[in-house]
Amino acid sequence: MHIVCLGDSICYGDGVRPDQAWVSLLAAELVQRHPAARVHNVGVNGETVEGGLWRLSACLAPPVPDLLYVQFGLNDAWINVSSAEEYTVMMWEIVSRALESGVRTVLVGTNHPVWAGQDYGDTDYPQRVRQFNASLRSRFALAPERVSLADIEAHWDVLGSREALVPLLQGDGVHLSPQGNRVYADFLLPVFERLL
């Protein structure tokens, strides 16, 4: 089972040790339960969905992944390079190309809630992230059979108040702390297993 995780700094694991990043945590659990599983992390710090679309062909080179996980949007929302609608169109293009290339299953992730820390001083940023998630949720509600949505935002919303979520993020209010990476891995592991 060949799994590729395509995304930005949240996939990459910015600000934590490599073994604390959610992709590494999930990979360790998957390999323990499914020895044939191989997880390849191609997250890039600062990446937008357009950059992900540009890099996609390299991710689909043989062996074609059995499962492709895709998560972008935090950088798009922050630097306002695209509207929520444009972002969603590009996410759909990634999914379409992946399916056409023979990927068996594509899993798309919404983004967790953020709050504007000192490095992300734009007070509209958290709302734009929510708008991007809503657009993604709306588009992928009618996704074909081989496409699933992992609604990370909805999962975090039920975890508690903003104060309860603060320990899950680093001081910038965006990147995942070691604890936040663990929450991601614990949430996504059963989703990945169901799709394999």
Short mmCIF file of all heavy atoms in Angstrom, two decimals, residues 27 123 189:
data_model
loop_
_atom_site.label_atom_id
_atom_site.label_comp_id
_atom_site.label_asym_id
_atom_site.label_seq_id
_atom_site.Cartn_x
_atom_site.Cartn_y
_atom_site.Cartn_z
N ALA A 27 2.11 7.30 10.04
CA ALA A 27 2.86 6.28 9.31
C ALA A 27 3.33 5.17 10.25
O ALA A 27 3.24 3.98 9.91
CB ALA A 27 4.06 6.91 8.59
N THR A 123 -6.65 40.11 10.98
CA THR A 123 -7.75 39.61 11.80
C THR A 123 -8.81 38.88 10.98
O THR A 123 -9.65 38.18 11.55
CB THR A 123 -8.42 40.78 12.56
OG1 THR A 123 -8.84 41.77 11.61
CG2 THR A 123 -7.44 41.40 13.55
N LEU A 189 -6.05 8.41 11.43
CA LEU A 189 -5.68 7.00 11.33
C LEU A 189 -6.86 6.10 10.96
O LEU A 189 -6.77 5.32 10.00
CB LEU A 189 -5.02 6.52 12.63
CG LEU A 189 -4.63 5.05 12.67
CD1 LEU A 189 -3.60 4.71 11.59
CD2 LEU A 189 -4.09 4.68 14.05
#
